Structure formats: C-alpha cells, structure tokens
Amino acid sequence: MKILAFAEQRDGKFKKSAFEATQAAAGVAAKLNAELITVVVGNSLDGILSDLGKYGANKIIAIQDPHLERYSTTAYAKVIAETAQKEGATILFFSASQMGKDLAPRIAAKLNAGLASDCTAIRIEGSEVIATRPVYAGKALIEIKINSPVKIFALRSNVFTATPRDGAQVSIDNVKPELTDGDFTSKVIDVKVAEGRPDVTEANIIVSGGRGMKGPEHFQQIEKLADILGGAVGASRAVVDAGWRPHDEQVGQTGKTVSPTLYIACGISGAIQHIAGMSSSKFIVAINKDKDAPIFQIADYGIAGDLFEILPPLTEEFKKLLGK
Amino acid sequence: MKCIVCVNHVPDTEAKIKVGADGKYIDKAGINHILNPYDEFATEAILQLKEKNGGETLAITLGGDSHKETLRKALAMGVDKAILLKDDSVRDSLSVAKALAEELKKHTPDFILFGKQSIDYYNEQIPGMVAEILGLPSVTAVVKLTVEDKKVICHREIEGGQEIVETTYPVVISAHKGLNEPRYPSLKGIMASKTKPITEIQPIAVAPVVETITMFKAQSKQAGKIVGTDAAAVPELVRLLHEEAKVI
Ligand SMILES: Cc1cc2nc3c(=O)[nH]c(=O)nc-3n(C[C@H](O)[C@H](O)[C@H](O)COP(=O)(O)OP(=O)(O)OC[C@H]3O[C@@H](n4cnc5c(N)ncnc54)[C@H](O)[C@@H]3O)c2cc1C
Ligand SMILES: Nc1ncnc2c1ncn2[C@@H]1O[C@H](COP(=O)(O)O)[C@@H](O)[C@H]1O
C-alpha cells in the first residue's frame, strides 16, 4: 500500500504545514505498514528537498519545471493526481492551507475520491483512517471515514506536530512533467505579499484586537506587542467591518480559522462567530473590562480590566522576559 | 452573459446545536436556516456581472423543500430564476458536486459562482470538484474579480498576501468576504421574488463515500483563571504564561 503526502512550497521554501502533513502521513504509513511518497511541485528545488527527511519522508518525487515555478491550480492538480495514479497511492495527505484547500477538491474529483477537509485529528482503527473535524462553528465534532478506493485528507495547519529528527536518507526521484498550454487554464501571474508579520493562520502567537480598542490608532499597541512576541495581528469582525483593520486579519466564522499556541484577545467579547475561528488555540488569554464577557469562558488566563492600562506594562514585561 | 450561483441553506450561526438521536447529524428541530453567508457574496457577484455585461442570472441549490427559502432570498436580491435540485438524501460533497455539474452543463454558463465554504461543515470542496468535473478552470477564495473581454483576473487570498490569477471564462469562482458588499433585498425585490419561477428537478443519484461515524458536542472548556483586574496582574500573567503554560 502506498501513501502520498503533498509538501507545499512557496518561493523555494517549504511551508511549516508541509512538514506537518509529511510527518502525519509518515505516522499513518508506519501504522499501516505502507510506503510513503512525498511529492513536491515547483522549480529549482533541489537544495531543499532533503529537509523533508527530517519529518519522515524517505522517498521524494520532485516534479520540477520552469512553468511550475508559480502556482497553477489546473497544472498542479494534474501532476499530483497523475503521480498518485502512477504510483497507485490510495491515501493522500494535504495540508488545509490555501493551496491545499484549492487543490484537494480538484484532485478528489479526478480520482473519484472522498475528501475529508480541515481535519484536526487522525487515528487508525484496524486498517481504517478515521478523521476528526469540527463542524457548526466548532460547536460539534464529527468522526468520519472514507469508503472510496482512494481517500484524501487535508490537515488543519498548526494542529499536527512537525518535530525535526535526524534526517534519514532520502531518495529523490526527479520527474519532468509533460505539460501543455492547455494545462495552465488558470495561472498565478503575480503575488502580493503583505510585508512583516506572519499570517494569522501560520503564526504561533496571535495578538488580536476588537471593538474594545476604541479606534484604529490604538492598534499600534497590538502591533507592538505582536512584534515583541514575533506574532501576528488578528482582529474581530466588528473592527474589520468598521474599516480599522484589513479583512485578512479577521478571525472567525467569516474570517480565518487559527490554531496558534497562544491567542491574546484584547477588547473582544467572544461572540460565537469569533470563537468559531480561534477555539482550537492551545492557550487563550483574554483582556476585557467586562468580567462576564463570554471570551472568559474559553480563556485559560484573563485580566478583567481596562486594556489601555494593561497593554503597555504587559508589553514591557514580555520585553524584559525575552531580553528585547 | 449567463451567470449562475450555487447556494446552500445552512443553520443560522446563533443556532444551538444538539446532536440528533442517530448520533451522526444535528437535530434540526427548531433551527433557523439562512442563505450561507459566503453565498451572498457569490450572489452579489453574479448580479454585478449581469449589470455590467447584460445576460441572465440563475440560482441553483440541491436539497429538500426548505432550500426554497434560500432560493427566495437570492431571487429577492435580484436573481432572475431558480432551480431546486430536490433531494433530501444524505450526500457528501462529491455527490452534491456531481449532481450540480450535471445540471450546470445544460445551461452553458459563462460564470459559475460559489461561496468559499458552507458554514455548517466548512468543507470548501464543492467549487473545485464541480470545476474539475466540468473541465473548467477554478479560482477559490476570491476577494477581487475583474473581467476584460475574455480575460478574467482574480485576486485570491493566501497566507500573508494575495495571488493574482489570470484565467478565462467559462470559469468557476468561489467568493470570499471582501469581494463585494451584498445588497439587501428591496421591498420590491421581495415582492417580485414571490412570483419568480422555481423549477424543481430530480438530481442524479450518487452514493456518498464519506461516512460520518459519530457526532459529539465539543467539550466546553473549563473557564480559566482571572489573574486580576488591573495592571498589577501583569507580572503574574506573564509568569503563568512562561512557567505554567510554557508558551513564552
Ligand atoms: C454570519 C455572521 C458571521 C460573523 N463572522 C464573524 C467573524 O468571522 N469574526 C468575528 O469576530 N465576528 C463575526 N461575527 C460578528 C460577531 O457576532 C460579533 O459581532 C463580533 O465578533 C464582535 O466583535 P468584538 O468582540 O470586537 O466587539 P464587541 O462585541 O462590541 O466587544 C467589545 C468588547 O470590548 C470590551 N471592552 C471595551 N472597552 C474596553 C477596554 N477599555 N478594556 C478592555 N475591554 C474593553 C467590551 O467589554 C466588549 O466585551 C459574525 C456575525 C454573523 C452574524
Ligand atoms: N447543496 C448545495 N446546493 C448548491 N450549492 C451548494 C450546496 N452545498 C454547497 N454549495 C455551494 O458550494 C460552496 C462551498 O460549499 P462546501 O464545499 O460545502 O463548503 C457553497 O458556498 C455553495 O456555494
């Protein structure tokens, strides 16, 4: 039996979620006594491929071509699905990143495979892979299994571990894809990168602000704390709708789903739609002057006070601790 | 220009979720359903395409009779016609996608709009699957859409930025928040929606392959520790994060 993991790279660098997917797939392969094939798609990637060995990959198929340097949904889906078919892989792992969520459904349709999106846990029962995923804004969880011959799982970022171990030997199989113009019916022509801070979906620490921040000018305090902690800035929908913050910072049901190690909510009440996006954070800190705010129901630690009194000394205290 | 939106009917986000007697799905009794919020962006997008380029608009949903409510909302916003692929059986994304694709084919659309995801199961699967089945390009999580002649330029959200994607129509697009401001149905629109046609069609049957084994309520977390009520609590909070939680 063969298992395929797709290891996403952008700009010649692997995403952390690529290591998470590889390591999770390696774990499943070990339990099912299966062979793991890790697939990488792009161009000029020779220098980074062996990094995957540290996360349990031993056989890598690298599909490289100048035309694949930039992402194309149609072309990437084609080369990955063809590899899965050629190798006879029956279980495929993706990360539920923006690329993974774009690719996996197309590949599922190509392979007539069932797809489990945004899984937060995977376990093996007999020979069955069982996935857990949150539904209804995280109010409930379901366990699902897939009954088609080919099964695809996309794993939520930041939930599965990626711990490097001493790299085992990797074998690298370079494959030159056969592609025509017709395979690039959609293609990325440019990428606009927001400078500076990490994205909320990838950050280990998020400092998030809500309507309690009183105005866009006060978000400086959030940014400062985020920068000291090397974290991302998040926002509630209330402040995004008010135009105080860009909508790519919005956390919640109509924003992004995040699972950082630490989520610091400042002046956020904790509406169910906000919690939907951040309840899988490992530690939650709430700063809110209303001690009955629902955010305290899910917070690990809280200060029930005025954030304008608390944020400056908090930032100083972290600065001291981190020697910055 | 022929523009179609596929819409889903989902529980209101405020709804209290109770696991049903079967232990696999929610108990739908007493739950208010709404047009999936992302599908409002998709609906607005096809209305704007028609306003700019002329043509006609159509909304399609697959589901039971209750899905008509959601079609009425799309019609009230201004969509011309609606189709209910009437089917109450348990389906997974692939089986919904196959049935939608089968119907979509008949209409030779230029633009097929979807929401980025349904807010019940957060699957984010159907747009890509439908595009693949129809052999069309797809762009998902789109926050900006421009059409010049045959060329379609989409901005799609990625981690820490945006990808600018070039494609041509016919195309499948999934709408993200930020694409537009969905209009509220006007009183006139609401009145008109009552007389606009909803055609009922029996969709093709496709057995699901993704099986729910069990559904359970998320364990509510133990409320945590309130460390204090003012700046005096700051050192203790930082100590807890450093020594107890070990996250800093
Ligand atoms: C379909 C739908 C989808 C939605 N999607 C999202 C989503 O994706 N994300 C999201 O966030 N919301 C979403 N919402 C909105 C959500 O219901 C809430 O309205 C929103 O989260 C509230 O934002 P907030 O907590 O910033 O503001 P508020 O609820 O107004 O809370 C502000 C908080 O700040 C506190 N505060 C005020 N001053 C201070 C001070 N000086 N010091 C300390 N604390 C202070 C107050 O006590 C209060 O708790 C959605 C709603 C709907 C209907
Ligand atoms: N039953 C359905 N009928 C029509 N369109 C649907 C249905 N379910 C989902 N969709 C569309 O597919 C999008 C993505 O849904 P999903 O893949 O379920 O997250 C939704 O935003 C809708 O536009």
Side-chain angles (χ1 to χ4, degrees), chain A residues 209-214 235-239 241 244 250-256 263 266-277 287-295 303-310, chain B residues 12-14 34 37-38 119 177:
Chain A
R211 191 143 42 198
M213 293 305 297
K214 298 282 187 299
S236 73
R237 171 158 160 186
V239 307
D241 284 355
W244 299 357
Q250 183 180 319
V251 171
Q253 184 158 49
T254 36
K256 290 179 175 168
Y263 189 91
C266 307
I268 293 177
S269 59
I272 180 72
Q273 299 91 352
H274 188 80
I275 289 177
I287 303 171
N288 193 307
K289 69 177 182 192
D290 172 10
K291 67 172 188 0
D292 297 322
I295 190 79
I303 300 183
D306 185 348
L307 66 93
F308 294 105
E309 276 174 33
I310 293 154
Chain B
D12 184 347
T13 55
E14 305 284 347
I34 56 169
Y38 287 100
I119 62 155
K177 180 174 187 234

Side-chain angles (χ1 to χ4, degrees), chain A residues 10 102 112 117 139 250 253, chain B residues 13 15 125 140 163 177:
Chain A
R10 277 186 190 271
D102 190 53
N112 211 11
S117 315
K139 288 180 243 180
Q250 183 180 319
Q253 184 158 49
Chain B
T13 55
Q125 297 188 7
T140 55
E163 272 175 345
K177 180 174 187 234

Side-chain angles (χ1 to χ4, degrees), chain A residues 8 10 15 71 73-74 77 97-99 101-102 105-106 108-110 112-118 130 132-148 185-194 199 201-202 205 229 237 240-241 247-248 250 253-257 261-262 272-273 276 279 281-285 287 291 296-306 309-310 313-314 317-318 321-322, chain B residues 11-17 19 24 26 28 37-38 41 92-94 98 116-117 119-133 135-141 143 153 155-168 176-179 181 208-231 233-235 237-238 240-242 244-248:
Chain A
E8 171 182 345
R10 277 186 190 271
K15 292 270 179 182
Y71 179 56
T73 306
T74 42
S97 60
Q98 287 303 101
M99 191 187 284
K101 287 189 291 191
D102 190 53
R106 287 203 78 118
K110 276 183 198 283
N112 211 11
L115 166 59
S117 315
D118 208 23
I130 299 190
T132 306
R133 45 186 319 266
V135 293
Y136 297 104
K139 288 180 243 180
L141 294 160
I142 52 171
E143 284 193 337
I144 54 179
K145 67 181 177 114
I146 303 176
N147 298 323
S148 45
T185 48
S186 76
K187 58 173 187 258
V188 172
I189 51 168
D190 201 4
V191 179
K192 285 204 286 187
V193 209
D199 187 66
T201 57
E202 298 185 316
I205 298 183
L229 299 173
R237 171 158 160 186
V240 172
D241 284 355
H247 94 89
D248 63 350
Q250 183 180 319
Q253 184 158 49
T254 36
K256 290 179 175 168
T257 306
T261 310
L262 175 61
I272 180 72
Q273 299 91 352
S279 59
S281 305
K282 275 141 236 139
F283 278 89
I284 298 170
V285 170
I287 303 171
K291 67 172 188 0
F296 287 121
Q297 297 292 313
I298 60 150
D300 298 279
Y301 306 117
I303 300 183
D306 185 348
E309 276 174 33
I310 293 154
L314 184 62
E317 195 73 20
F318 278 129
L321 179 71
L322 297 167
Chain B
D12 184 347
T13 55
E14 305 284 347
K16 283 241 179 318
I17 295 300
V19 178
K24 295 183 181 184
I26 56 164
K28 286 198 174 157
Y38 287 100
F41 304 118
D92 60 6
S93 300
L94 198 52
K98 284 179 179 171
K116 172 174 164 271
Q117 61 190 176
I119 62 155
D120 49 4
Y121 273 62
Y122 294 78
N123 274 322
E124 228 171 319
Q125 297 188 7
I126 290 177
M129 287 174 170
V130 167
E132 183 61 40
I133 297 166
L136 296 177
S138 56
V139 193
T140 55
V143 292
I153 305 282
H155 292 226
R156 76 179 289 265
E157 195 167 278
I158 59 167
E159 296 83 3
Q162 287 181 4
E163 272 175 345
I164 297 154
V165 181
E166 185 183 304
T167 183
T168 50
H176 199 1
K177 180 174 187 234
L179 179 62
E181 280 296 327
V209 291
V210 176
E211 180 187 334
T212 300
I213 306 167
T214 152
M215 174 185 275
F216 46 96
K217 284 278 277 213
Q219 263 181 340
S220 47
K221 234 171 121 169
Q222 286 266 322
K225 197 187 287 184
I226 303 270
V227 188
T229 55
D230 55 24
V234 165
L237 174 64
V238 173
L240 285 169
L241 288 171
H242 183 57
E244 198 178 274
K246 297 191 170 58
V247 290
I248 305 271

Side-chain angles (χ1 to χ4, degrees), chain A residues 224-235:
Chain A
K224 199 162 151 206
L225 180 53
D227 290 344
I228 298 248
L229 299 173
V233 172

Side-chain angles (χ1 to χ4, degrees), chain A residues 10 23 26 33 39 65 75 81 101 103 107 116-117 127 157 173 175 182 196 200 203 218 222 257 285 319:
Chain A
R10 277 186 190 271
Q23 192 158 320
N33 223 343
V39 174
D65 187 287
K101 287 189 291 191
L103 282 173
I107 293 170
S117 315
S127 61
S157 302
D173 192 356
V175 176
V200 283
H218 300 303
I222 298 276
T257 306
V285 170
K319 224 165 144 178

